[in-house]
Amino acid sequence: MISIAGTQTIASLSISQSSPTRSIHSTNSSHPQAARLSRRTPSIISAVPVPSHDQRRQCECHDLFKEIVPYVEAWRWQKETVERISASLARGEEPPNSVVLLQHSPVYTMGTRSSDAYLRFDKNHPPFELHQTERGGEVTYHGPGQLVMYPIVNLRQQKMDLHWYLRMLEEVVIRALWSSCSLRASRVDGLTGVWVGDSKVAAIGVRVSRWITYHGLAVNVNTDLAPFQNIVPCGLVGRPVGSVKQLLHTVNLSSAQGTRPSKAIDSDSPWFMEDATILDQVHQSLLVEFAEVFQMDLVAPVNNGPVTINAIVQEKNS
């Protein structure tokens, strides 16, 4: 069980088969898949070793997976959080790490060295907002139905190796897709991200400042994939982008046609989950696996920083 609390437990993410799954919002799901989050086989999925710490670190969890947050606001929050943690470390303190999980309104983002050649539109007249950021990687799209995770992690507490960190983020997604939807995801040698078959379902782009990470990963759950046609996603020509919903539909069809006889299909199958249920299940698994891979305890955020992501959402909705 991963506690989501300050000094006392206020909610939890449970991976026990005997109790319903709960998020920081105490979102319950009646779907049978909610009791199956503990079913994972990491040794089959990935051979990348995860860290083992004698003492688990704390990580403030901003679970806003149902919220549509403007990109610029989340970007501002990340940079201010990095500065706050850096200042705290300079004073000899041990501030907690942070992670936020949310969705964005439609937006294209480019990395520091992204090429305009991967844009299929006039940069001066983009179909959606377009922002050049300080992360690595090429252009990508964010929009509703896509779960975006921004970990603010002090790598001095983990491993001061950016390539290792990228592999760990991939590991989080690989495990989460298996535990939530029984999708067997993988890496592609020489590339960053996560694939199911030939379809890329998760993009990763990060920045590290004084060994503190920001930016992060994006998983296409039930995202409208049409906006990806306006770009060459991540600069990968000829490599399709997919979504969890799309892939589950494909598995459903192939099973119905008898091409997967070993997998029984019934109304309890994760392949029949509704959009909201898929989003909820993947979100819960992402948090569970993030905490497990990085050996952290997720705790409720303390609203003592210059800005909180919750305040951003409240301001947006006011």
Side-chain angles (χ1 to χ4, degrees), residues 110 116 119-131:
M110 302 175 69
D116 292 356
L119 304 179
R120 292 172 174 162
F121 54 79
D122 182 349
K123 192 174 182 179
N124 296 318
H125 300 91
F128 301 115
E129 287 184 21
L130 174 65
H131 298 285

Side-chain angles (χ1 to χ4, degrees), residues 168-183:
M168 291 301 99
L169 292 181
E170 292 168 346
E171 184 75 9
V172 170
V173 177
I174 289 170
R175 292 181 176 212
L177 293 180
W178 175 257
S179 59
S180 63
C181 300
S182 299
L183 288 175

Side-chain angles (χ1 to χ4, degrees), residues 11-125:
S12 66
L13 281 169
S14 172
I15 56 173
S16 170
Q17 292 189 351
S18 60
S19 60
T21 308
R22 300 178 64 196
S23 73
I24 198 168
H25 295 298
S26 298
T27 302
N28 291 299
S29 172
S30 59
H31 197 280
Q33 180 69 356
R36 298 169 59 194
L37 286 175
S38 62
R39 183 167 60 85
R40 67 169 82 94
T41 53
S43 61
I44 295 176
I45 297 172
S46 174
V48 175
V50 298
S52 177
H53 304 309
D54 295 334
Q55 182 179 6
R56 294 171 70 97
R57 304 284 184 174
Q58 287 194 337
C59 180
E60 292 186 347
C61 178
H62 304 260
D63 185 359
L64 303 173
F65 86 100
K66 292 183 179 180
E67 301 290 343
I68 308 295
V69 180
Y71 183 82
V72 292
E73 300 298 342
W75 188 13
R76 172 167 63 94
W77 173 83
Q78 291 178 75
K79 291 185 285 187
E80 293 188 5
T81 301
V82 169
E83 289 304 314
R84 175 171 57 85
I85 291 176
S86 295
S88 183
L89 289 170
R91 295 192 296 268
E93 300 169 354
E94 285 287 336
N97 300 291
S98 288
V99 64
V100 62
L101 191 62
L102 45 73
Q103 300 175 60
H104 282 310
S105 46
V107 61
Y108 293 107
T109 67
M110 302 175 69
T112 305
R113 299 181 179 85
S114 290
S115 171
D116 292 356
Y118 297 125
L119 304 179
R120 292 172 174 162
F121 54 79
D122 182 349
K123 192 174 182 179
N124 296 318
H125 300 91

Side-chain angles (χ1 to χ4, degrees), residues 3-12 22-24 26 299-301:
S3 296
I4 307 287
T7 56
Q8 57 183 354
T9 301
I10 57 175
S12 66
R22 300 178 64 196
S23 73
I24 198 168
S26 298
V299 301

Side-chain angles (χ1 to χ4, degrees), residues 129-151:
E129 287 184 21
L130 174 65
H131 298 285
Q132 185 125 25
T133 75
E134 62 280 290
R135 67 164 172 79
E138 291 290 346
V139 64
T140 193
Y141 166 78
H142 300 303
Q146 182 191 74
L147 289 175
V148 182
M149 175 180 278
Y150 295 128

